[in-house]
């Protein structure tokens, strides 16, 4: 190979490594020199929103509260938490107090006002595994309401004496873990949704001589949309916590693409970061930490591994006004089969991991001049 050919190949690799300066370019552009691989820019043929079950049981945090976001609408979150008493814990004397401790690690909304939540008993066991955020669970009687600043790092809730007296036998029972069913955290006043770390939620039982610490055994968040978003033209909303996903379809029918050998691929998704940054004073709108790319079939079903986990093609973090997914070797094989029509996968889907529970929104460009684009390095088929 000539030295100029080597440099041309290196330049193509660098192009995919760094991305193009202008993600708005549309159409297919081929750079062909002496049989070298070529780059192809392939804009999404369609950008579709769809719904699927978002599962929040035993994720990193539980959410509660209500937020009226002028951009994406009003959302309310209801949290559920249950507790377990370890085998060595023992409440064997008079209970003088019970306190719920909620370590806050997330806030979406007004940070200067206060948030009021209503604490309810749960009177029966409730599911958490595989439960969608649109599920409705029946709560028991109210215990109390409590208010706090959304920036507080630790929210402490002392339970009323009458509630303690009514649950005294339960706390002393050897079957506490099956006879006590935890609490509901329901939205009340305020304009913020807050998140509490699952791993550090505690229920403290104070006696005259000791403090018994109960750890959270399970959590769940349910989310409801109470008003629709008000979006600029040619934008698509992708928001965590609502079971909302975005599906991208690409037209691989061109001979120069469909029959080409694939060497590298990057998916670039432009984000309207200016709109996301515009918010009232003291209002915070955290972006999602991670977005993942998976493949789905025509019915929206997700191919899974032998362990039942979705096959993730790539993950990324919003940065610089875009999402940028770089496909590894295994993912390239899946994309190559998609180009050839040899896989049930028909769409590339943008969604959020289920282990980090937030309401983070992203506003994606989906207009004719600025839209998700695949940048491919391929070897064109022989004439």
């Amino acid at each position: 190979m000539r030295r100029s050919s080597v440099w041309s190949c290196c330049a193509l690799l660098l192009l995919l490594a760094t991305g193009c300066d202008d993600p708005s370019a549309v159409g297919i552009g081929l750079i062909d020199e002496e049989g070298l691989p070529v780059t192809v820019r392939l804009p999404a043929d369609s950008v579709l929103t769809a719904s699927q079950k978002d599962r929040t049981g035993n994720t990193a945090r539980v959410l509660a509260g209500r937020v009226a976001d002028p951009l994406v609408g009003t959302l309310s979150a209801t949290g559920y938490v249950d507790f377990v008493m370890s085998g060595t814990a023992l409440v064997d004397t008079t209970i003088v107090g019970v306190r719920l401790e909620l370590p806050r690690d997330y806030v979406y909304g007004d940070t200067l006002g206060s948030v009021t939540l209503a604490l309810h008993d749960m009177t029966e066991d409730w599911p958490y595994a595989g439960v969608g955020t649109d599920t409705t669970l029946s709560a028991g009687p109210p215990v109390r309401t409590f208010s706090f600043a959304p920036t507080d790092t630790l929210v402490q809730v002392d339970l009323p004496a009458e509630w303690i007296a009514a649950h005294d036998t339960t706390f002393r029972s050897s079957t506490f873990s099956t006879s006590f069913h935890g609490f509901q955290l329901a939205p009340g006043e305020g304009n913020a949704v807050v998140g509490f770390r699952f791993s550090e939620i505690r229920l403290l039982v104070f006696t005259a001589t000791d403090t018994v610490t109960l750890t959270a055994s399970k959590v769940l968040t349910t989310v409801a949309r109470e008003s629709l978003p008000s979006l600029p033209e040619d934008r698509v909303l992708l928001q965590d916590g609502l079971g909302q996903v975005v599906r991208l379809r690409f037209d691989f029918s061109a001979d120069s693409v469909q029959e080409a050998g694939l060497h590298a691929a990057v998916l670039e998704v432009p984000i309207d970061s200016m709109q996301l940054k515009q918010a009232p004073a003291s209002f915070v709108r955290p972006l999602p930490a991670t977005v993942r790319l998976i493949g789905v079939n025509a019915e929206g079903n997700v191919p899974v591994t032998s362990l039942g986990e979705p096959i993730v093609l790539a993950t990324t973090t919003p940065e610089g006004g875009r999402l940028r997914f770089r496909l590894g070797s295994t993912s390239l094989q899946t994309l190559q089969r998609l180009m050839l029509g040899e896989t049930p996968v028909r769409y590339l889907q943008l969604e959020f991991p289920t282990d980090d529970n937030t309401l983070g929104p992203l506003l994606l460009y989906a207009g004719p001049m600025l839209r998700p684009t695949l940048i491919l390095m391929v070897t064109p088929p022989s004439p």
Side-chain angles (χ1 to χ4, degrees):
M1 182 183 293
R2 297 179 184 176
R3 179 172 298 179
S4 62
S5 299
V6 173
W7 282 110
S8 298
C9 187
C10 292
L12 287 170
L13 289 169
L14 182 61
L15 177 65
L16 282 174
T18 60
C20 295
D21 292 334
D22 180 15
S24 66
V26 296
I28 298 176
L30 297 179
I31 307 172
D32 195 359
E33 180 182 337
E34 301 179 7
L36 289 173
V38 299
T39 56
V40 178
R41 293 183 60 84
L42 192 62
D45 187 53
S46 65
V47 182
L48 310 171
T49 58
S51 298
Q52 68 180 30
K53 185 178 290 187
D54 191 350
R55 300 168 176 83
T56 61
N58 281 22
T59 51
R61 65 177 59 89
V62 59
L63 305 178
R66 178 179 286 104
V67 58
D69 187 326
L71 178 65
V72 304
T74 300
L75 303 171
S76 64
T78 302
Y80 300 85
V81 56
D82 199 0
F83 296 88
V84 63
M85 187 178 294
S86 68
T88 58
L90 180 63
V91 179
D92 59 356
T93 186
T94 303
I95 299 175
V96 298
V98 177
R99 176 179 297 160
L100 175 63
E101 290 193 343
L102 301 167
R104 187 205 56 82
D105 70 347
Y106 177 81
V107 59
Y108 177 4
D110 182 13
T111 58
L112 294 184
S114 64
V115 172
T116 299
L117 300 179
L119 191 69
H120 289 254
D121 269 324
M122 295 299 289
T123 57
E124 59 185 24
D125 192 29
W126 42 273
Y128 70 94
V131 176
T133 56
D134 58 350
T135 299
T136 300
L137 300 179
S138 297
V143 177
R144 61 161 295 183
T145 60
F146 60 98
S147 300
F148 56 96
T151 54
D152 288 345
T153 55
L154 179 64
V155 178
Q156 296 180 317
V157 186
D158 290 317
L159 303 188
E162 59 270 20
W163 184 90
I164 296 173
H167 290 76
D168 182 84
T169 302
T170 302
F171 278 106
R172 297 174 185 273
S173 171
S174 60
T175 62
F176 170 85
S177 296
T178 55
S179 57
F180 182 74
H181 304 299
F183 303 106
Q184 179 197 68
L185 303 169
E189 300 298 322
N191 188 29
V193 170
V194 296
F196 304 110
R197 282 190 302 278
F198 172 28
S199 62
E200 297 179 27
I201 297 175
R202 300 287 185 265
L203 191 63
L204 305 180
V205 181
F206 304 105
T207 70
T209 59
D210 195 11
T211 299
V212 178
T213 301
L214 283 64
T215 58
S217 58
K218 62 181 181 181
V219 295
L220 176 70
T221 299
T222 61
V223 180
R225 177 177 288 286
E226 298 182 356
S227 70
L228 295 176
S230 177
L231 304 180
E233 188 178 358
D234 294 333
R235 310 293 194 277
V236 171
L237 177 65
L238 177 64
Q239 188 162 19
D240 197 7
L242 297 172
Q244 185 182 52
V245 298
V246 171
R247 291 177 184 155
L248 310 176
R249 185 179 64 191
F250 295 88
D251 184 2
F252 298 110
S253 61
D255 292 341
S256 57
V257 176
Q258 187 176 40
E259 301 296 330
L262 181 63
H263 304 287
V266 170
L267 172 65
E268 287 196 349
V269 182
I271 298 171
D272 188 350
S273 55
M274 293 300 296
Q275 288 287 338
L276 292 171
K277 291 177 181 177
Q278 293 178 8
S282 76
F283 191 97
V284 295
R285 186 187 290 127
L287 297 183
T290 304
V291 185
R292 68 183 185 185
L293 179 69
I294 66 172
V296 300
N297 65 14
E299 291 74 36
N301 298 319
V302 182
V304 297
T305 66
S306 58
L307 298 177
E309 293 295 323
I311 299 174
V312 179
L313 301 178
T315 61
T316 193
T317 298
E319 185 177 3
R322 65 182 180 180
L323 300 172
R324 194 161 192 272
F325 299 92
R326 188 190 308 277
L327 276 65
S329 57
T330 301
S331 300
L332 286 175
Q333 295 175 22
T334 300
L335 183 59
Q336 179 80 82
R337 292 195 296 270
L338 174 59
M339 293 164 59
L340 294 170
E342 297 177 351
T343 173
V345 171
R346 290 294 177 266
Y347 299 96
L348 299 182
Q349 178 167 295
L350 306 177
E351 61 173 40
F352 299 98
T354 57
D355 55 351
D356 186 24
N357 185 23
T358 77
L359 293 180
L362 289 175
L363 207 55
L364 313 181
Y365 283 103
M369 299 304 296
L370 195 61
R371 62 196 297 109
T373 299
L374 271 174
I375 305 173
L376 310 175
M377 176 182 284
V378 299
T379 298
S382 301

